[in-house]
Amino acid sequence: MTEEVKLIGAWVSPVSLRVELALKLKGVKYEYIDEDLSNKSPLLLKYNPIHKKVPVLLHNGKPIAESAVILEYIDETWKGYQLLPEDPYERAVTRFWVKFIDEKCNATLWRACWSEASEQEKAIEEARENLKILENELKKGKKFFGGDNIGSVDIAAIYIAFWVGVLQEVVGISLMDEEKFPVLHKWIEEFINCDVVKENLPPRDKLFAYYQGHKETIYAIASRFYK
């Protein structure tokens, strides 16, 4: 039977890119379906009716949603390149850091960018505290979070590696300057210059233009959400 792999994603979405990177590293052939997030398709609503978000991986017609879940599914389904370690303890540690990035780092970084002025300084400080934790983890002599090779934690941190730099420019703040986070900056340089990452990043100017064009809308949504 011919294997069918499809990815419903969006070029502007870092969590969508996570899945693409995992599939590329594994050497899995797939069809990419780009979603218009302002006008969600019947296909997306059919296969992710609960969250109605990208990414969704379709494997032989069966949908898997949520990027962290998809990464583990990909690693367990296709052999070859390992995204997670084999050792149960090390796998648990990897899951911890992915969860930390999702629930702590990315959330506070987004809030730091889009909070109202009265709340922004506190949000920036919280974001930097979380980044310092990642900085200290990398100080243990690792090239990547997973060791010598890109793993699930690095992939999960693609938002930090690429998106945050763009958003800093859009909103006019500094979150992670090189002087305060030298090890993170070194990791970012190594990571985004890996061929598989570099070849799949969205064009920086296009990403900047997208957020610049949607700035007022994002601020309006954030002002209601972060009250």
Side-chain angles (χ1 to χ4, degrees), residues 6-7 19 47-48 55-67 69-71 73-74 77-78:
K6 296 181 180 182
L7 171 60
V19 180
Y47 286 117
N48 192 4
V56 179
L57 184 72
L58 296 173
H59 185 203
N60 294 329
K62 295 178 180 178
I64 305 99
E66 298 296 299
S67 64
V69 176
I70 297 171
L71 290 185
Y73 178 84
I74 289 170
T77 302
W78 290 282

Side-chain angles (χ1 to χ4, degrees), residues 51 55 64 124 148 159 173 188 226:
H51 295 298
I64 305 99
I124 289 172
D148 291 331
Y159 175 75
I173 61 171
I188 288 171
Y226 297 136

Side-chain angles (χ1 to χ4, degrees), residues 22-219:
L23 291 169
K24 298 271 187 180
L25 286 167
K26 285 283 190 179
V28 178
K29 293 182 179 180
Y30 64 97
E31 177 189 344
Y32 178 74
I33 303 165
D34 197 61
E35 185 73 24
D36 179 358
L37 298 179
S38 63
N39 184 26
K40 295 174 183 178
S41 70
L43 188 71
L44 176 62
L45 301 178
K46 174 185 176 182
Y47 286 117
N48 192 4
I50 296 174
H51 295 298
K52 303 177 178 65
K53 293 178 180 177
V54 297
V56 179
L57 184 72
L58 296 173
H59 185 203
N60 294 329
K62 295 178 180 178
I64 305 99
E66 298 296 299
S67 64
V69 176
I70 297 171
L71 290 185
E72 291 203 27
Y73 178 84
I74 289 170
D75 202 40
E76 291 167 1
T77 302
W78 290 282
K79 303 305 175 190
Y81 192 99
Q82 277 194 284
L83 301 174
L84 283 87
E86 285 186 5
D87 180 76
Y89 174 75
E90 291 180 4
R91 287 176 76 88
V93 171
T94 296
R95 291 187 181 105
F96 169 84
W97 285 113
V98 170
K99 194 174 178 67
F100 175 77
I101 286 167
D102 277 345
E103 296 184 1
K104 290 286 188 178
C105 287
N106 290 353
T108 54
L109 285 163
W110 182 262
R111 192 157 61 245
C113 290
W114 303 109
S115 290
E116 293 179 356
S118 58
E119 299 291 327
Q120 194 167 48
E121 189 175 336
K122 181 183 175 185
I124 289 172
E125 188 57 38
E126 287 178 2
R128 285 177 177 159
E129 285 174 9
N130 289 326
L131 289 172
K132 199 66 186 174
I133 292 170
L134 291 183
E135 173 92 355
N136 290 335
E137 180 63 17
L138 282 168
K139 277 182 179 175
K140 295 175 181 178
K142 301 176 181 179
K143 180 178 180 181
F144 299 109
F145 286 100
D148 291 331
N149 299 309
I150 292 171
S152 289
V153 181
D154 302 284
I155 292 171
I158 187 66
Y159 175 75
I160 297 167
F162 192 69
W163 265 254
V164 170
V166 174
L167 292 177
Q168 286 181 133
E169 286 186 36
V170 171
V171 299
I173 61 171
S174 176
L175 281 167
M176 44 186 292
D177 56 274
E178 190 170 358
E179 187 179 340
K180 290 180 181 174
F181 301 101
V183 183
L184 262 179
H185 272 264
K186 185 179 178 184
W187 165 78
I188 288 171
E189 188 176 348
E190 293 272 10
F191 181 50
I192 64 174
N193 282 299
C194 287
D195 288 344
V196 71
V197 180
K198 188 193 297 186
E199 291 165 6
N200 291 283
L201 288 172
R204 199 178 194 282
D205 55 349
K206 184 180 177 184
L207 196 63
F208 179 89
Y210 174 86
Y211 283 108
Q212 188 71 31
H214 290 76
K215 193 193 303 191
E216 296 306 318
T217 302
I218 297 171
Y219 269 128

